[in-house]
């Protein structure tokens, strides 16, 4: 059986993504259009 090994997290951010990822996306970015179409 393989041994389970955890890697240390690099960087100073305790989370993988910010609390609201859309805060980091520009208002005129094309992903905003895709998001509204999908919704």
């Amino acid at each position: 059986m393989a041994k389970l090994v955890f890697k240390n997290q690099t960087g100073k951010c305790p989370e993988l993504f910010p609390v609201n990822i859309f805060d980091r996306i520009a208002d005129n970015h094309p992903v905003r259009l895709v998001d509204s179409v999908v919704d």
Side-chain angles (χ1 to χ4, degrees), residues 10-25:
T10 59
K12 296 181 182 182
C13 183
E15 300 174 2
L16 183 59
F17 295 109
V19 176
N20 185 358
I21 196 165
F22 284 102
D23 290 342
R24 302 217 173 203
I25 299 172

Side-chain angles (χ1 to χ4, degrees), residues 2-6 8-9 11-14 16-17 19-21 23 27 29-33 37-39:
K3 182 180 176 184
L4 183 63
V5 178
F6 291 96
N8 290 332
Q9 183 177 1
K12 296 181 182 182
C13 183
L16 183 59
F17 295 109
V19 176
N20 185 358
I21 196 165
D23 290 342
D27 290 336
H29 195 278
V31 77
R32 300 273 186 183
L33 174 64
V37 169
V38 170
D39 281 344

